[in-house]
């Protein structure tokens, strides 16, 4: 039966048997017991599936991962301890020392550092590209050793909307998969795999959890990228893994299972950034109400963006749901039912007005967080980006006047009243 998203959010991933718990049990156990060494040996050779140590797999985490795979329309998924870990695992599963990736410049700052600093130190080279560039320009960034292309559905904090089909065409023309971070859109508003993305990642810390309760991430595979067409490019998936008695992931697990099995059996085994079963339980509670929460986040953001865009003291507003926004047309195509709850804007008084505005907010809290049920607000120039000069801020697309507002689930009119009084006093 083809189920709709609201149903999958409640039902997918866990089907209790007779007399079993209705809610996903928190399997708070590091290890699992076996009757014989032979039984356990089969697990170590990946010949049988089962649990033996929670760094490799845990039933609570697996159930929640299966739910997210269903939501994104993927074949398999793996939870990670954070969104950062999810981005790293998704890329490192196919790109190692001596390899290269192409990434959009419009991505989360943490992902930018991961690629530009830490993965570079590991020998993975990156070329950043303007996501709005033509296919010809994007193509020029590719090299012989390029293994993946990376972008964000809606960029945090730049709020660019990614032309996913364009990126997928370019990636596939060069024989590499497209990885999309779908954190801001969530599968409620966009399922990148339907537009050609091969792998999707999330910081589940954001809308999926949605209550500011649990850090987490997830990697989802579409099962559609045919690694076996490029065995020389993806030897990790197409040739034997000696650390698993010579298993070849694409042969043993097929295209549907190869990527995530390797990611789990090899990378999670060796690097261990697991999500705790307790956090997975919280994440699952968030997922149950995700469609309803996302709709309210978007409705609040739309109303607030419209309020700000007509306010005489507001210099500019960036929100792809606003007619006239640079990304309005792309948003209509990829996010027809809503985009996200995050807006950025500037006041006519620039940096000074922004600082004063922040002091007068009553409902909106000052936090370096987004996508929470509580409205929160950030002035990067005086906090996260305070080491940068005004010129550097401008170049980074985070002007000195920029205020990032993450619209929560509170009543729309209450939020607008709070913004109105803070703007008046600024
Ligand atoms: C927050 C965020 C991340 C990093 O996630 P953490 O859970 O904080 O590690 C990655 N991508 C996007 C788009 C984010 O907003």
């Amino acid at each position: 039966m083809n189920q709709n998203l609201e149903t999958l959010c409640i039902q997918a991933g866990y089907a209790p048997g007779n007399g079993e718990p209705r809610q996903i049990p928190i399997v708070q156990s590091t290890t699992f017991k076996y009757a014989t060494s032979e039984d356990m040996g089969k697990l170590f050779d990946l010949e049988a599936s089962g649990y033996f140590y929670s760094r490799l797999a845990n039933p609570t985490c697996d159930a929640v991962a299966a739910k997210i795979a269903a939501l994104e329309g993927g074949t398999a998924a793996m939870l990670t301890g954070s969104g950062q870990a999810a981005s790293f695992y998704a890329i490192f599963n196919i790109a190692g020392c001596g390899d290269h990736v192409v990434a959009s410049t419009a991505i989360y700052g943490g992902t930018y550092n991961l690629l530009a600093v830490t993965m570079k130190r590991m020998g993975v080279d990156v070329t950043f590209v303007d996501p709005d560039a033509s296919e010809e320009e994007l193509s020029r960034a590719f090299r012989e050793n390029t293994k993946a292309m990376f972008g964000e559905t809606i960029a945090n904090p730049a709020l660019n909307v990614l032309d996913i089909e364009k990126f997928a065409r370019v990636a596939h023309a060069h024989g590499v998969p497209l990885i999309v971070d779908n954190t801001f859109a969530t599968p409620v508003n966009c399922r990148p795999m339907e537009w050609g993305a091969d792998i999707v990642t999330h910081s589940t810390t954001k809308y999926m959890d949605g209550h500011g309760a649990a850090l987490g991430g997830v990697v989802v595979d579409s099962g559609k990228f045919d690694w076996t067409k490029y065995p020389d490019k993806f030897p990790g998936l197409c040739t034997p893994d000696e650390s698993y008695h010579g298993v070849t992931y694409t042969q043993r697990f097929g295209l549907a299972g190869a990527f995530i099995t390797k990611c789990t059996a090899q990378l999670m085994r060796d690097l261990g950034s697991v999500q705790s079963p307790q956090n997975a339980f919280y994440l699952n509670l968030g997922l149950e109400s995700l469609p309803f929460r996302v709709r309210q986040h978007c409705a609040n953001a739309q109303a607030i963006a419209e309020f700000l865009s007509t306010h005489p003291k507001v210099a500019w507003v960036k929100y792809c749901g606003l007619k006239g926004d640079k990304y309005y047309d792309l948003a209509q195509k990829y996010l027809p039912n809503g985009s996200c709850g995050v807006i950025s804007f500037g006041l006519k008084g620039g940096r000074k007005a922004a600082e004063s505005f922040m002091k007068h907010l009553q409902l909106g809290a000052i936090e370096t967080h987004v996508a929470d049920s509580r409205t929160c607000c950030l002035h990067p120039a005086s906090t996260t980006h305070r080491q940068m000069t005004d010129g550097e801020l401008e170049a980074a697309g985070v002007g000195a006047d920029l205020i990032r507002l993450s619209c929560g689930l509170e009543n729309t009119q209450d939020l607008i009243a709070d913004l109105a009084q803070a703007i008046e006093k600024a």
Side-chain angles (χ1 to χ4, degrees):
M1 190 169 67
N2 229 346
Q3 291 172 342
N4 290 294
L5 198 90
E6 292 82 354
T7 306
L8 294 173
C9 278
I10 302 291
Q11 301 278 355
Y14 176 65
N18 216 9
E20 288 178 0
R22 189 66 194 92
Q23 181 56 281
I24 294 180
I26 304 172
V27 181
Q28 195 68 43
S29 183
T30 55
T31 50
F32 300 82
K33 174 183 170 290
Y34 285 90
T36 69
S37 300
E38 287 75 25
D39 287 345
M40 194 188 277
K42 289 196 185 108
L43 302 179
F44 273 92
D45 284 349
L46 301 180
E47 273 170 15
S49 61
Y51 298 97
F52 55 94
Y53 193 56
S54 282
R55 169 151 45 75
L56 279 116
N58 171 281
T60 312
C61 294
D62 278 3
V64 179
K67 176 179 281 187
I68 297 174
L71 296 180
E72 286 288 3
T75 54
M78 178 186 86
L79 296 190
T80 57
S82 68
Q84 283 299 107
S87 305
F88 174 67
Y89 279 69
I91 299 165
F92 199 65
N93 204 31
I94 43 177
C97 185
D99 291 336
H100 173 253
V101 298
V102 175
S104 164
T105 49
I107 52 174
Y108 176 64
T111 316
Y112 184 89
N113 285 334
L114 170 68
L115 286 162
V117 181
T118 299
M119 292 196 73
K120 200 155 227 168
R121 280 179 56 209
M122 303 171 100
V124 181
D125 218 356
V126 60
T127 301
F128 290 104
V129 291
D130 174 359
D132 300 328
S134 69
E135 292 188 33
E136 294 69 37
E137 284 174 90
L138 293 173
S139 285
R140 264 182 248 129
F142 283 75
R143 304 180 191 160
E144 197 75 11
N145 59 343
T146 304
K147 299 297 166 81
M149 194 176 194
F150 188 95
E152 252 170 60
T153 315
I154 307 171
N156 175 15
L159 301 178
N160 299 37
V161 176
L162 184 70
D163 189 342
I164 303 171
E165 283 192 314
K166 178 180 74 177
F167 261 48
R169 268 196 306 275
V170 175
H172 296 159
H174 291 87
V176 305
L178 172 63
I179 305 173
V180 172
D181 180 337
N182 196 34
T183 299
F184 266 30
T186 84
V188 176
N189 284 337
C190 180
R191 282 180 297 282
M193 288 170 187
E194 292 175 358
W195 302 99
D198 303 286
I199 291 146
V200 163
T201 61
H202 281 271
S203 165
T204 63
T205 316
K206 310 295 166 52
Y207 289 115
M208 283 192 169
D209 166 65
H211 298 78
L215 222 71
V218 68
V219 182
V220 191
D221 180 26
S222 68
K224 283 188 197 144
F225 192 84
D226 191 352
W227 314 101
T228 62
K229 268 170 77 181
Y230 314 97
D232 296 335
K233 201 178 282 203
F234 304 106
L237 286 155
C238 302
T239 54
D241 178 356
E242 293 315 326
S243 70
Y244 275 110
H245 296 246
V247 54
T248 299
Y249 293 101
T250 42
Q251 266 172 23
R252 178 80 66 82
F253 302 101
L255 294 183
F259 187 87
I260 292 296
T261 306
K262 175 178 179 291
C263 210
T264 309
Q266 207 181 59
L267 295 190
M268 199 54 97
R269 176 195 64 187
D270 296 350
L271 298 165
S273 332
V274 289
Q275 186 165 139
S276 73
Q278 185 81 37
N279 275 12
F281 180 82
Y282 294 137
L283 169 56
N284 185 57
L285 291 183
L287 290 171
E288 291 191 3
S289 61
L290 184 70
F292 304 93
R293 290 186 295 104
V294 164
R295 269 168 224 149
Q296 177 67 8
H297 282 293
C298 293
N300 273 346
Q302 186 68 35
I304 288 168
E306 285 168 13
F307 160 76
L308 291 171
S309 68
T310 57
H311 197 291
K313 292 192 172 175
V314 174
W316 58 271
V317 184
K318 202 168 173 189
Y319 185 65
C320 64
L322 278 184
K323 276 206 182 83
D325 186 86
K326 186 176 174 197
Y327 295 100
Y328 180 78
D329 291 339
L330 280 178
Q332 290 299 301
K333 174 176 175 178
Y334 293 108
L335 307 149
N337 301 319
S339 54
C340 68
V342 182
I343 296 171
S344 60
F345 67 100
L347 296 174
K348 283 189 176 152
R351 176 195 280 265
K352 273 218 143 56
E355 285 170 0
S356 170
F357 164 84
M358 298 288 292
K359 286 197 188 108
H360 290 107
L361 275 182
Q362 288 169 4
L363 271 179
I366 298 175
E367 290 172 23
T368 60
H369 191 44
V370 288
D372 186 346
S373 54
R374 288 149 289 247
T375 293
C376 54
C377 208
L378 184 76
H379 179 225
S382 58
T383 54
T384 48
H385 294 56
R386 63 183 294 127
Q387 77 285 0
M388 293 163 94
T389 64
D390 283 14
E392 286 171 337
L393 286 167
E394 210 56 57
V398 189
D401 64 339
L402 184 144
I403 297 165
R404 184 181 71 186
L405 178 69
S406 171
C407 302
L409 298 176
E410 301 92 338
N411 176 278
T412 317
Q413 294 315 316
D414 290 347
L415 290 176
I416 290 178
D418 187 32
L419 292 168
Q421 64 81 26
I423 292 172
E424 233 26 76
K425 289 178 189 151

